[in-house]
Amino acid sequence: MRIREITAKSVLSKSQMYDYALNPYVGCTHACVYCYARFMKRFTGHREMWGDFLDVKINAPELLREEVRKKRLGRVWVSGVCDPYQPAEKRYGLTKRCLEILIENGWGVSVQTKSSLVLRDLEIFKRSRESEVCITVTTADEAIRRIFEPGAPPIAERVKALRTIHSEGVTTIAMIAPVLPGAEGLVDMLKGCVDHVLVDRLNYHYADRIYKNHKMEWAMEDGFFRQMGETLSKGFEKEGIPCQVLF
């Protein structure tokens, strides 16, 4: 693993999902094989494999404090192309400091992560009604999780984090994206944990080889995703949880 500290020129960028995106890190050590953010290597010059490098924007909080004074107030996606709570966050605390700045200044925050480290900042989220926490959980099968998300925390830890945050009144979202084999078991696991569920399909580009190596070619067919989307939608709606299928 190669970790280096860098200084960034800016930290708030335009986002197609929200008003802004904030990425305190470049790269992600969760090393999920399907990650769409791999495209970042085209711009960063890294030769390492995705998951084997991390750039730490050590001046991110200082930049953010300046930028929130100059830019139009809005909602910030934390993060768009890295996990804001990957293991390095324990050491650097950049996400925590940035969240504090955003919430102190009245900005809305939408956090997306796979890590239970997000629980560390629960008291920060509770300071604002404009906070929401989205945790990605793609399957209820831990064996499948280890294949596709080798560096990410176990499923049980993520579900526990969602349950705890939800119980404290912070808006919680489960992102089942990409939906993987075994995802149907998430209906029982997530009931009582979330306010909303989002479901999306797999990006074939990066995961095709993994599916074939593990003899799961059947799951690459469109019918698999349509069936899983319908199963999850009906299951969550039966539990009274709004579920949006994005494909």
Side-chain angles (χ1 to χ4, degrees):
M1 172 59 58
R2 181 188 181 195
I3 298 177
R4 63 176 185 172
E5 298 177 355
I6 64 172
T7 54
K9 295 181 179 179
S10 64
V11 69
L12 284 177
S13 59
K14 292 182 180 180
S15 169
Q16 294 181 347
M17 297 287 292
Y18 298 94
D19 299 309
Y20 305 95
L22 188 155
N23 293 279
Y25 304 94
V26 177
C28 185
T29 56
H30 286 166
C32 301
V33 300
Y34 53 72
C35 186
Y36 64 86
R38 290 168 181 260
F39 77 89
M40 290 292 294
K41 285 186 61 177
R42 297 202 303 265
F43 308 106
T44 63
H46 287 92
R47 295 184 178 181
E48 302 90 344
M49 295 289 291
W50 182 257
D52 289 343
F53 69 88
L54 185 71
D55 291 349
V56 181
K57 300 178 184 178
I58 56 172
N59 63 332
E62 290 73 25
L63 286 173
L64 181 62
R65 195 172 293 281
E66 292 295 321
E67 291 182 29
V68 296
R69 292 205 296 260
K70 299 176 182 178
K71 294 182 180 289
R72 177 179 56 85
L73 186 71
R75 176 167 288 276
V76 182
W77 184 18
V78 186
S79 301
V81 290
C82 73
D83 194 309
Y85 288 101
Q86 55 188 299
E89 172 64 15
K90 293 180 182 179
R91 173 184 174 186
Y92 289 99
L94 297 180
T95 297
K96 180 178 182 178
R97 290 159 60 195
C98 288
L99 288 172
E100 289 174 329
I101 293 167
L102 290 169
I103 288 175
E104 284 172 5
N105 287 275
W107 290 57
V109 295
S110 296
V111 168
Q112 185 169 347
T113 183
K114 288 188 176 80
S115 176
S116 56
L117 181 59
V118 68
L119 285 171
R120 181 201 62 189
D121 296 339
L122 178 55
E123 292 304 314
I124 299 175
F125 300 128
K126 289 168 63 177
R127 296 176 197 166
S128 171
R129 294 182 179 179
E130 295 300 315
S131 298
E132 60 182 24
V133 175
C134 177
I135 296 182
T136 299
V137 53
T138 54
T139 177
D141 187 326
E142 187 63 20
I144 296 292
R145 194 280 302 168
R146 287 193 293 268
I147 293 170
F148 286 89
E149 302 166 351
I155 298 161
E157 288 186 14
R158 304 183 214 178
V159 174
K160 183 179 179 180
L162 279 167
R163 188 178 302 279
T164 301
I165 296 168
H166 183 73
S167 71
E168 292 291 331
V170 177
T171 298
T172 52
I173 301 166
M175 174 71 81
I176 306 176
V179 58
L180 296 177
E184 64 275 7
L186 291 172
V187 175
D188 285 336
M189 293 182 74
L190 292 173
K191 60 186 179 183
C193 299
V194 295
D195 297 290
H196 193 82
V197 175
L198 298 173
V199 181
D200 207 353
R201 63 182 295 159
L202 180 76
N203 181 329
Y204 293 136
H205 184 66
Y206 294 115
D208 178 72
R209 176 179 55 82
I210 302 297
Y211 265 115
K212 289 179 179 178
N213 285 352
H214 293 274
K215 302 185 185 302
M216 291 186 284
E217 295 95 327
W218 57 271
M220 296 294 291
E221 299 176 0
D222 287 342
F224 166 77
F225 294 108
R226 288 196 299 269
Q227 180 181 353
M228 290 296 290
E230 182 176 352
T231 297
L232 290 167
S233 180
K234 289 181 177 179
F236 283 113
E237 289 177 6
K238 184 178 180 180
E239 299 294 338
I241 302 171
C243 177
Q244 184 179 3
V245 178
L246 304 176
F247 56 90

